[in-house]
């Protein structure tokens, strides 16, 4: 250990002091310094410090690539978009000058690889496309440093081999998949480094503060966003991906310091998707692995394969290409998380991790070019086989849409089109599976198309797996997440209209023009909550209807459902024309349709002056954040409030909770986490705030916490004891007497069934409860990846969402856990004094795309103060009488 420690630190010291030529020999061993064009500066020469001695900021990385673009006709740099923090997203395309002049034509020529209707191309004339992607997790920092060195090598190397690579390949190099997270991490590491550098794992340099630099601005894991595309970084990257359809795509990562180096193939079958041709796993991955192994063997670096990581779903940057005819590969290097850190393999230095990534990056180029014909032919065969697989499928089309929610329907349509899925207008209004789909607001997705495998992933349910231990989620259907009406059809001749080329351009309006009485807005539109927040910011009084009614012209009355917004003109402090201007502006900005009415006397149902039309207070919400809270769930709640609702959410550090004036907030959100830092006085402060009329919203194990703290008096918690009794866990003990024992020291594979592997469930929702307002169907799909089990309330009106008796829809769950979930509660409202607690057993905002349940969260945030009022709705009043 001491010998290794000394050698590692000596390596770090040498890299920090050696001239550029010696640095080249360290990062590019076996390469002569004279084989590089001296006109092209090394990263060290441009930045002013040796690579591996400092963490390079995102602006410096972009500046270096701009310099390569300026100096070399091999490089063209392109800005794809900007992040939430206004950092540019760039991609460098590196190839021969001749190819650079023909990039658009090369993209057209490659269409024959993915369009079976076109004749097969001349493979010898097509370049292989290699996509190198770095830093999707911002604090896995060696990757972006390696990107600088690889960009330099491909630009400056004058070797015949490099020239051959550029003639036979187009390389796209994304140095910063997550610029915001990158800078959050690099600032931490650079601010906390020392001279000499401590290698103690507990040194501050190696222990990033919450929330760390892994995620983007809203703490979203961008490596889980390739299918849902909720973030601007992902959408820009997806658009670029579909220009090239890479044949080989590498995602550079880091793992724990005690790891060595990982590359694919991954664990056979159990981590692989049956939709993908076996050749992807058994031929393409294996061929490339030989090049990676040789490169690391030459360095003497240890590595491993075939044991972990998922290729199950296209949510990852290293798996999505598998669903598009390429091969996606994950690289993971044991991380120094700082300049040098002790681990079980000795001291891991930053330069060492960078060098390993550089070696496998160059090996990728070598393998992709030498095996070019294999990868090009595979992509062509992949899309041809997609059509034959679609013909075998009993499902010939999916129909989706919701006439009452054009915004969410259009949002899902946009997602499909971003994935280059073929979509058609629905040719006529039909009723399918007891659901009405209206022409003009519904769409048809045929399965017989080259994107069949992506279509299947977006819509289908999967409950059969090769294993019971998973790296991440096992249910990823976007159709279920959006909560729209969907019907699977076996009829290939379903009426299809014209192909859809782009999402609709939705425009808001005020139907009927200016009113002197009131304006109405259905709560069923996805943007209605956002419109309410905008009305409040403009200073208008808004009311919400707790019962349906029919209003409008006698010859064409309109049905308005639960939650309809009512904007009474006379109740405002502003003149009628100013109210109209505000309502018109809000309608346009949020693409919603208000209806003006001239009377409060409804054609049917309640009148607008009814006690069942309540004034909604402006939302003043807070979110507890900081060490102890789940950063992902914090980010999701923050994202929904900020981006979907337009509600400013005060983020209160747990350490500041004691001095927070809670009386200014109508709602407080507590996500999953550990709240031991809140002492008895803090808990009592929170309890008094709820009792005085506040709305407390708790997610996952935070719901357990408030129950255990006695803030909620109801006995709602079900012990999470089902996972240990699962038959899978005791299969090795079958036939033996006595209790089962574990015979394998590695417990993960025996105990994996204890976890709930991110799966999808069916539940029944009370759409007459304010938490359920806006939903058109009682059937709701809920995502679950935790073991918080809530008992239905004894008050029949307090259980807003309850799992069905047979709830599993898609994904893996053990039988023991499934029994716990069946008929349990997903959302419960508990009255506490003049206030209430809305308890979610799950995370309704999961990864920002679970729109069906995020609407429940939005309702709790905006309408929560209207729950359990003395003059409550029939449902609430009945609940109070029962109590």
């Amino acid at each position: 250990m001491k010998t290794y420690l000394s050698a590692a630190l000596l390596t770090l010291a040498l890299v920090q002091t050696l001239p550029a030529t010696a640095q080249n020999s360290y990062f590019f061993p076996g390469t002569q310094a004279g084989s590089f064009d001296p006109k092209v500066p090394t990263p060290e020469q441009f930045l002013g410090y040796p690579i591996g001695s400092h963490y390079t900021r995102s602006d410096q990385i972009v500046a270096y690539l701009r310099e390569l673009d300026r100096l070399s006709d091999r490089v063209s740099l392109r800005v794809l978009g900007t992040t939430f923090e206004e950092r540019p997203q760039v991609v460098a395309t590196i190839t021969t000058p001749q190819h650079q002049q023909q990039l658009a034509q090369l993209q057209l020529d490659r269409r024959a690889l993915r369009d079976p209707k076109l004749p097969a191309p001349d493979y010898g004339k097509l370049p292989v496309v290699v996509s190198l992607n770095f830093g999707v997790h911002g604090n896995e920092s060696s990757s972006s440093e390696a990107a600088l060195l690889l960009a330099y090598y491909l630009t400056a190397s004058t070797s015949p081999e490099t020239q051959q690579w550029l003639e036979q390949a187009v390389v796209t190099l994304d140095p910063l998949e997550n610029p915001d997270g990158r800078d959050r991490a690099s600032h931490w590491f650079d601010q906390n480094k020392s001279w000499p550098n401590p290698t103690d794992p507990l040194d501050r340099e190696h222990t990033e503060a919450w929330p760390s630099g892994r995620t983007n601005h809203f703490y979203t894991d961008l490596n889980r966003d390739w299918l849902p595309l909720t973030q601007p970084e992902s959408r820009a990257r997806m658009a670029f991906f579909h220009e090239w359809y890479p044949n080989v795509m590498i995602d550079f990562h880091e793992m724990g310091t005690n790891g060595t180096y990982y590359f694919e193939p991954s664990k056979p079958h159990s981590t692989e998707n049956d939709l993908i041709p076996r050749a992807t796993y058994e031929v393409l991955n294996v061929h490339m692995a030989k090049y990676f192994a040789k490169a690391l063997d030459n360095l003497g670096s240890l590595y491993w394969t075939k044991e972990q990581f998922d290729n199950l779903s296209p949510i990852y940057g290293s798996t999505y290409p598998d669903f598009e005819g390429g091969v996606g590969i994950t690289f993971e290097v044991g991380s120094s998380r700082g300049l040098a850190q002790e681990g079980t393999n000795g001291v891991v230095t930053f330069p060492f991790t960078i060098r390993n990534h550089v070696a496998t990056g160059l090996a990728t180029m070598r393998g992709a070019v030498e095996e070019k014909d294999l990868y090009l032919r595979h992509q062509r065969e992949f899309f041809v086989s997609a059509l034959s697989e679609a013909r075998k499928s009993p499902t010939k089309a999916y129909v989706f849409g919701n006439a009452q929610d054009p915004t969410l329907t259009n949002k899902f349509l946009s997602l499909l089109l971003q994935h280059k899925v073929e979509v058609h207008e629905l040719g006529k209004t039909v009723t399918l599976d007891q659901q009405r789909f209206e022409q003009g607001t519904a769409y048809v997705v045929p399965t017989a198309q080259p994107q069949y495998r992506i279509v299947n992933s977006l819509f289908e349910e999967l409950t059969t797996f090769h294993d019971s231990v998973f790296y991440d989620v096992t249910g990823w259907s976007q159709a279920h997440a959006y909560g729209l009406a969907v019907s699977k059809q076996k009829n290939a001749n379903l009426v299809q209209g014209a192909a859809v080329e782009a999402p609709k351009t939705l425009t808001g309006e005020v139907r009927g023009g200016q009113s002197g009485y009131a304006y109405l807005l259905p709560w069923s539109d996805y943007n209605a909550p956002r419109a309410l927040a905008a009305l409040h910011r403009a200073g208008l009084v808004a009311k919400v209807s707790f019962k349906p009614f029919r209003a409008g012209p006698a010859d064409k009355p309109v049905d308005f459902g639960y939650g309809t917004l009512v904007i009474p003109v006379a109740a405002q402090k502003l003149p009628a024309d100013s109210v109209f201007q505000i309502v018109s502006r809000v309608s346009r900005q949020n693409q919603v349709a208000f209806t003006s009415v001239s009377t409060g006397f409804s054609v049917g149902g309640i009148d607008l002056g009814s006690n069942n039309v309540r004034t909604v207070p402006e939302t003043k919400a807070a979110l507890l954040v900081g060490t102890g809270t789940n950063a992902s769930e914090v980010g999701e709640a923050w994202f929904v409030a900020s981006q979907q609702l337009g509600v400013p959410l005060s983020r209160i550090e747990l350490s500041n909770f004691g001095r927070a004036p809670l009386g200014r907030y109508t709602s407080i959100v507590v996500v999953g986490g550990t709240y031991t830092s809140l002492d008895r006085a803090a808990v009592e402060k929170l309890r008094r705030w709820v009792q005085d009329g506040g709305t407390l919203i708790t997610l996952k194990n935070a719901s357990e916490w408030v129950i255990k703290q006695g803030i909620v008096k109801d006995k709602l918690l079900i012990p999470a004891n089902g996972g240990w009794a699962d038959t899978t866990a005791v299969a090795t003990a079958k036939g033996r007497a006595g209790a089962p024992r574990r015979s394998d020291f590695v417990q993960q594979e025996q105990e994996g069934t204890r976890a709930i592997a991110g799966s999808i469930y069916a539940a029944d929702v009370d759409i007459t409860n304010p938490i359920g307002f806006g939903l058109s169907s009682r059937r709701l799909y809920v995502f679950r990846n935790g073991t918080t089990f809530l008992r239905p309330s004894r008050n029949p009106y307090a259980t807003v969402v309850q799992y069905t008796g047979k709830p599993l829809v898609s994904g893996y769950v053990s039988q023991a856990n499934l029994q716990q979930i069946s008929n349990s509660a997903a959302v419960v409202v508990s009255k506490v004094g003049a206030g209430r607690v809305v308890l979610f057993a799950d995370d309704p905002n999961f990864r920002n795309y679970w729109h069906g349940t995020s609407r429940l969260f939005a309702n709790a945030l905006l309408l929560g103060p209207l729950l359990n009022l003395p003059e409550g709705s029939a449902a609430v009043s009945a609940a109070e009488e029962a109590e």
Side-chain angles (χ1 to χ4, degrees):
M1 175 71 171
K2 289 183 178 179
T3 302
Y4 193 101
L5 173 66
S6 300
L9 293 180
L10 178 61
T11 298
L12 176 59
L14 286 173
V15 168
Q16 292 174 344
T17 57
L18 288 175
T21 53
Q23 285 235 329
N24 280 352
S25 66
Y26 177 76
F27 289 114
F28 312 124
T31 303
Q32 297 298 317
S35 62
F36 292 95
D37 183 350
K39 295 179 182 178
V40 179
T42 67
E44 294 84 350
Q45 290 169 336
F46 181 83
L47 297 169
Y49 55 83
I51 291 292
S53 67
H54 190 75
Y55 281 72
T56 307
R57 299 190 315 267
S58 67
D59 63 299
Q60 295 171 299
I61 293 171
V62 172
Y64 180 67
L65 293 179
R66 289 191 193 281
E67 181 69 358
L68 296 185
D69 183 11
R70 185 181 73 84
L71 293 172
S72 175
D73 53 6
R74 291 183 180 182
V75 183
S76 58
L77 189 68
R78 178 173 161 190
V79 177
L80 303 183
T82 55
T83 68
F84 282 113
E85 297 177 15
E86 299 301 330
R87 292 183 176 88
Q89 290 177 263
V90 300
V91 171
T93 301
I94 308 176
T95 186
T96 62
Q98 293 76 20
H99 286 340
Q100 289 286 357
Q101 299 300 317
Q102 302 170 343
L103 293 180
Q105 185 59 48
L106 290 174
Q107 290 174 354
L108 287 174
D109 294 342
R110 286 175 53 82
R111 281 185 55 202
L113 296 177
R114 64 183 191 276
D115 188 349
K117 292 181 291 187
L118 298 176
D122 183 343
Y123 297 105
K125 293 182 179 179
L126 284 183
V128 64
V129 174
V130 180
S131 182
L132 305 177
N133 300 278
F134 305 84
V136 70
H137 294 145
N139 60 0
E140 298 178 5
S141 308
S142 61
S143 60
S144 292
E145 308 286 345
L148 292 171
L149 291 163
L150 287 167
Y152 165 71
Y153 188 99
L154 294 172
T155 304
S157 173
T158 58
S159 73
E161 183 184 44
T162 305
Q163 182 63 31
Q164 182 194 20
W165 292 351
L166 300 181
E167 290 173 353
Q168 297 297 319
V170 172
V171 183
T172 67
L173 186 146
D174 185 339
L176 294 160
E177 292 183 273
N178 180 7
D180 293 349
R182 166 76 188 191
D183 278 356
R184 194 158 65 242
S186 63
H187 291 160
W188 175 270
F189 294 131
D190 286 338
Q191 288 167 0
N192 288 287
K193 69 179 183 180
S194 304
W195 297 267
N197 196 69
T199 61
D200 181 356
L202 292 179
D203 179 70
R204 180 175 170 84
E205 180 190 14
H206 309 306
T207 55
E208 276 182 277
W210 186 97
S212 86
R214 177 182 176 89
T215 51
N216 79 342
H217 177 81
F218 281 105
Y219 310 157
T220 300
D221 188 332
L222 296 177
N223 196 38
R224 308 308 196 259
D225 199 40
W226 277 78
L227 194 64
L229 302 179
T230 68
Q231 304 298 295
E233 298 96 329
S234 306
R235 292 190 290 272
R237 190 165 295 115
M238 182 58 65
F240 183 77
F241 177 95
H242 281 287
E243 292 181 16
W244 284 109
Y245 292 84
N247 301 103
V248 179
M249 185 164 166
I250 308 295
D251 215 11
F252 291 77
H253 289 261
E254 291 181 357
M255 55 185 162
T257 304
N258 294 331
T260 56
Y261 200 97
Y262 168 82
F263 54 85
E264 298 182 24
S266 55
K267 191 175 181 180
H269 293 288
S270 63
T271 63
E272 297 166 351
N273 193 303
D274 290 338
L275 280 172
I276 303 302
R278 293 306 308 164
T280 301
Y281 305 124
E282 296 175 355
V283 179
L284 303 191
N285 261 320
V286 172
H287 273 254
M288 288 302 295
K290 295 175 182 177
Y291 291 91
F292 308 148
K294 184 176 180 180
L296 294 174
D297 287 342
N298 289 341
L299 295 180
S301 295
L302 299 175
Y303 52 87
W304 57 279
T305 65
K306 303 181 290 293
E307 294 181 45
Q308 198 182 351
F309 299 114
D310 278 357
N311 272 310
L312 270 176
S313 105
I315 64 174
Y316 309 107
S318 62
T319 308
Y320 188 87
D322 295 347
F323 288 76
E324 297 288 359
V327 57
I329 297 171
T330 295
F331 287 161
E332 300 265 359
V333 66
S335 175
S336 61
R337 283 296 199 278
L339 293 182
Q341 185 178 168
E342 299 166 25
T344 56
N345 295 307
V347 171
V348 178
T349 67
F350 196 33
F352 175 77
T353 64
I354 297 167
R355 184 172 72 156
N356 281 331
H357 271 334
V358 170
T360 53
L362 294 175
T364 300
M365 291 302 307
R366 187 170 292 114
V369 170
E370 291 183 9
E371 308 278 356
K372 184 186 84 163
D373 192 70
L374 171 68
Y375 290 96
L376 294 176
R377 290 181 182 276
H378 172 86
Q379 192 162 54
R380 168 76 182 185
E381 292 163 4
F382 175 92
F383 285 110
V384 171
S385 70
L387 296 180
S388 60
E389 291 299 311
R391 285 192 287 268
K392 298 176 187 177
S393 171
T395 301
K396 302 305 178 185
Y398 301 93
V399 183
F400 73 91
N402 183 346
Q404 286 71 50
D405 193 347
T407 299
L408 192 59
T409 300
N410 206 45
K411 192 176 183 72
F412 188 55
L413 171 63
S414 176
L415 177 69
L416 297 176
L417 296 177
Q418 287 177 84
H419 287 293
K420 303 304 177 185
V421 169
E422 178 187 338
V423 184
H424 292 262
E425 298 273 1
L426 179 65
K428 67 176 183 178
T429 298
V430 293
T431 298
L432 305 169
D433 299 328
Q434 299 180 333
Q435 302 173 107
R436 180 179 171 86
F437 297 93
E438 295 185 13
Q439 184 180 9
T441 60
Y443 301 91
V444 180
V445 180
T447 57
Q449 60 172 292
Q451 288 290 63
Y452 163 71
R453 293 179 174 100
I454 285 291
V455 169
N456 186 288
S457 300
L458 290 165
F459 283 92
E460 269 303 332
E461 300 161 358
L462 181 64
T463 56
T464 302
F465 299 88
H466 294 286
D467 204 343
S468 59
V469 181
F470 303 94
Y471 183 69
D472 199 78
V473 303
T474 57
W476 50 82
S477 163
Q478 301 296 297
H480 294 83
Y482 276 65
L484 294 167
V486 177
S487 176
K488 294 197 297 185
Q489 289 298 304
K490 297 181 179 180
N491 179 10
N493 297 317
L494 191 72
V495 179
Q496 295 181 9
V500 180
E501 301 297 333
K504 286 185 176 179
T505 301
L506 299 179
T507 56
E509 61 177 326
V510 181
R511 295 169 182 164
Q514 183 172 341
S515 171
Y517 193 83
Y519 302 95
L520 309 177
L521 176 64
W523 197 249
S524 57
D525 191 283
Y526 183 76
N527 276 355
R530 184 178 183 87
L532 171 61
L535 292 168
H536 275 149
R537 285 198 306 275
L540 294 191
V541 173
K543 293 176 173 285
V544 63
S545 173
F546 273 55
K547 287 188 175 182
F549 61 93
R550 177 175 291 181
D555 57 336
K556 288 185 178 180
V558 178
D559 289 321
F560 292 91
Y562 294 97
T564 295
L565 288 183
V566 179
I567 314 301
V569 176
Q572 310 301 330
K573 297 179 180 179
L574 299 172
D577 57 343
S578 296
V579 174
F580 176 63
Q581 290 174 9
I582 292 171
V583 171
S584 298
R585 184 181 72 246
V586 169
S587 71
R588 292 192 303 271
Q589 291 176 344
N590 297 282
Q591 298 89 47
V592 294
F594 287 85
T595 298
S596 65
V597 291
S598 58
T599 177
F601 189 77
S602 299
V603 177
I606 63 172
D607 296 320
L608 298 190
S610 166
N611 286 337
N612 283 296
V613 181
R614 319 272 180 74
T615 300
V616 187
E618 183 176 1
T619 299
K620 302 289 186 182
L623 170 67
L624 299 191
V625 305
T627 303
T629 63
N630 184 300
S632 294
E633 293 172 24
V634 164
E636 290 155 4
W638 179 23
F639 181 86
V640 168
S642 172
Q643 298 299 297
Q644 292 178 202
L645 303 179
V647 171
L649 196 61
S650 297
R651 288 156 290 148
I652 302 175
E653 291 278 345
L654 290 182
S655 58
N656 287 331
F657 184 78
R659 64 187 186 90
L662 301 189
R664 67 179 295 165
Y665 307 115
T666 59
S667 305
I668 295 177
V669 180
V670 187
V671 303
T674 303
Y675 292 93
T676 53
S677 62
L678 295 182
D679 59 18
R680 189 172 301 175
V683 172
E684 182 58 30
K685 178 180 180 178
L686 185 61
R687 186 200 328 273
R688 288 197 305 270
W689 172 81
V690 176
Q691 289 175 334
D692 289 343
T695 300
L696 181 62
I697 303 168
T698 59
L699 313 186
K700 296 181 74 171
N701 71 328
S703 297
E704 299 181 41
W705 179 75
V706 297
I707 294 172
K708 292 175 181 177
Q709 295 300 319
I711 296 175
V712 171
K713 299 298 183 183
D714 297 339
K715 295 181 179 179
L716 295 173
L717 203 58
I718 303 173
N721 58 7
W724 293 101
D726 182 62
T727 54
T728 307
V730 299
T732 56
K734 186 177 180 180
R736 302 177 191 173
R741 71 182 184 88
R742 300 180 183 88
S743 59
D744 190 337
F745 179 76
V746 182
Q747 296 182 14
Q748 178 188 9
E749 295 186 10
Q750 282 69 33
E751 299 178 5
T753 55
R754 183 186 182 194
I756 295 177
S759 29
I760 302 170
Y761 301 86
D764 176 73
V765 58
D766 180 2
I767 61 176
T768 71
N769 187 295
I771 302 297
F773 280 179
L775 299 179
S776 57
S777 170
R778 290 189 64 98
R779 185 174 178 85
L780 181 70
Y781 295 107
V782 177
F783 183 89
R784 166 178 274 270
N785 64 346
T787 54
T788 296
F789 302 104
L790 296 179
R791 197 187 310 274
S793 174
R794 286 180 292 181
N795 178 343
Y797 301 104
T799 302
V800 183
V801 183
Q802 184 172 359
Y803 289 107
T804 63
K806 295 181 179 180
L808 181 63
V809 173
S810 186
Y812 175 82
V813 65
S814 70
Q815 285 300 312
N817 278 328
L818 184 58
Q819 290 174 11
Q820 294 276 83
I821 296 169
S822 300
N823 294 311
S824 69
V827 184
V828 179
V829 177
S830 180
K831 185 178 180 183
V832 180
R836 75 290 306 157
V837 180
V838 183
L839 302 105
F840 287 84
D842 317 296
D843 176 8
N845 307 313
F846 182 72
R847 291 183 181 166
N848 307 316
Y849 70 85
W850 212 263
H851 300 293
T853 52
S854 71
R855 299 177 76 142
L856 306 180
F857 175 80
N859 286 347
L861 203 63
L862 301 178
L863 307 180
L866 299 181
L867 286 163
N868 295 329
L869 293 178
E871 72 274 22
S873 67
V876 176
S877 297
E880 290 170 347
E881 291 173 8
E883 292 178 340

